[in-house]
Amino acid sequence: YAPYGGGYPGTYGAQQLAANDPMWGYFTAIAGQDGEIDAEELQRCLTQSGFTGGYSPFSLDTCRIMIAMLDRDFTGKMGFNEFKELFTALNGWKQNFMMFDQDRSGSIEHNEMTQAVNAMGYRISPQAVNAIIKRYNKGGRIFFDDYVACCVKLRALSDNFKRRDTMQQGSVTFPYDDFIMCTMAI
Amino acid sequence: YAPYGGGYPGTYGAQQLAANDPMWGYFTAIAGQDGEIDAEELQRCLTQSGFTGGYSPFSLDTCRIMIAMLDRDFTGKMGFNEFKELFTALNGWKQNFMMFDQDRSGSIEHNEMTQAVNAMGYRISPQAVNAIIKRYNKGGRIFFDDYVACCVKLRALSDNFKRRDTMQQGSVTFPYDDFIMCTMAI
């Protein structure tokens, strides 16, 4: 079972698997030469694929934080595995949103947003939810694009927090520089 | 020297002072009925006043984080004192940006952004600056609107951090809920 054929079996295997994945062709077509997806490419892809459906297309800013959420090596770009991870997350959030946007208006209300956040399993206080809604509402309503931006940030910040909360105590001591790095990057 | 005329001398005095302020008339014209400024009103005001000059107008999203930065009572709106505080900050950031954007292209480069952040007096590591640039660059350059969004967030996050670092130890222990509240709100 020594590596046969020489080279880099790990990477080779991953490429093989990827090539059999129905999303692989799609990914490579978008990623182009460099084999990675940046924010502009992601925006184009999410618009062309019709992901947002009847909702407004994602803003470039929302696409940038989608990339940042999964960009653990800070390249500003996204590989195939991150791309698939993002699609899974986006599908979940979209379903969650549509559950509350029953009249398909493209936006949800204050109390529906509170329920949507709770439905995602985050245990955050009503004050924190209020602060989030204050930030993301437009004329009292939360639109799909802002809702997704909010989901992305909430997940990325929670991930950053959990990664540091190794003893699972529910609190983390941040040196200033680390605090800035993990909050400004998203 | 007892309060004369009855009522609420503190508030009354503040109104008196405000009425003599050259910006007061401007503020009330924008704020309208409710006497406070929301993100849409702020965007209109910053565009009409010609603040951005030759640079692109601020996006609504950048205006929303400007409000959030000073919105200590989470109303999503801005009173007169906050409005003046914001203008002072914006003028400083604009001057700083123009110092680096010598050819008035409307954007600055990676290493200029590093210098700009340092010039603002933040002591953050090169890794943190890199993470910030990865998030805010478009095609390798940082545009004025994104630069200001970045300044606003950096200041708001640093303020939130400092307010909790009462012993000035350079590190803060955040419970999860407080971490989410003070990072998601901006």
Side-chain angles (χ1 to χ4, degrees), chain A residues 46-91:
Chain A
L46 289 170
T47 304
Q48 288 174 358
S49 68
F51 176 83
T52 44
Y55 298 131
S56 308
F58 291 120
S59 68
L60 185 58
D61 213 62
T62 299
C63 293
R64 283 153 91 189
I65 59 171
M66 286 178 195
I67 302 251
M69 172 179 80
L70 296 162
D71 187 21
R72 290 167 201 127
D73 54 354
F74 297 118
T75 59
K77 295 180 178 184
M78 187 180 265
F80 183 56
N81 288 328
E82 288 79 32
F83 180 71
K84 293 211 298 179
E85 201 176 330
L86 175 66
F87 255 81
T88 306
L90 281 177
N91 275 317

Side-chain angles (χ1 to χ4, degrees), chain A residues 125 136 158 172-174 176-177, chain B residues 125 158 172-174 176-177:
Chain A
S125 66
Y136 286 95
S158 299
V172 170
T173 301
F174 282 92
Y176 173 67
D177 194 68
Chain B
S125 67
S158 298
V172 169
T173 302
F174 282 91
Y176 173 68
D177 194 68

